Amino acid sequence: MDFIIRAIRPEEYEALGELTARAYLDDGFLDFGEDDGYLHLLRDVARRDAEAEVLVAVDGAGTVLGGVTLAVTGGEWADIARDGEAEFRMLAVAKDARGRGVGEALVRACVERARATEGCRRLVLSTQPGMASAHRLYERFGFVRTPARDWKPIPDMDPLITYGLEL
């Protein structure tokens, strides 16, 4: 593995924000492109880091390869988590870093942190139906679909699908 997973540093906020925005935009996961209201949340890494835990994958040169937001105690960044659950979201890997295990390492770090959190019994997430490669990754970790928890963040959007992993 030619990268490490660690907590983000303030000087990396802009790089991860742009990487995450580009991943969603370039892969077609924002219905309104550059005008999508969700884009500002994807780019606002400083806020995410203040209100949750943001992990990054960085290579030996310090280049940000990917990142994820983890909410282990609920709060603003936990859309579907209930008592005893942690949630992760905004998993993104730079296009040129895909296929190197970056996404897998970020998910593993979320699982490990959730397991290490006292009282946390489950890790949950929401994902778009078209994110098939992410779904395969989650299922390799043992996440299972939880269709009863699927939801729509905004009325004109297709429902997000949900997964959970018993810890």
Side-chain angles (χ1 to χ4, degrees), residues 13 15 31 38 61 67-68 76 104 111-112 116 125 129-131 135 165:
Y13 290 166
D31 291 340
Y38 193 53
V68 66
E76 177 76 20
E104 181 177 340
V111 171
E112 290 170 357
L125 65 100
M131 295 179 166
H135 304 166
L165 175 69

Side-chain angles (χ1 to χ4, degrees), residues 82-145:
R82 300 172 181 158
D83 286 343
E85 295 179 337
E87 181 173 346
F88 74 87
R89 55 189 291 194
M90 298 178 181
L91 175 67
V93 177
K95 219 177 226 4
D96 62 354
R98 294 180 184 173
R100 294 170 43 190
V102 173
E104 181 177 340
L106 287 163
V107 172
R108 181 177 297 110
C110 290
V111 171
E112 290 170 357
R113 281 170 168 70
R115 281 194 173 124
T117 301
E118 187 174 334
C120 187
R121 299 176 311 279
R122 186 175 210 184
L123 180 59
V124 297
L125 65 100
S126 300
T127 181
Q128 292 186 27
M131 295 179 166
S133 60
H135 304 166
R136 287 189 298 274
L137 172 64
Y138 305 145
E139 289 165 5
R140 281 198 310 268
F141 271 92
F143 283 85
V144 295
R145 281 277 293 116

Side-chain angles (χ1 to χ4, degrees), residues 44-80:
D44 193 354
V45 178
R47 178 178 166 207
R48 286 192 267 146
D49 191 39
E51 298 172 352
E53 183 177 4
V54 178
L55 304 174
V56 289
V58 294
D59 66 14
T63 303
V64 175
L65 305 175
V68 66
T69 299
L70 175 66
V72 292
T73 56
E76 177 76 20
W77 299 98
D79 286 326
I80 63 166

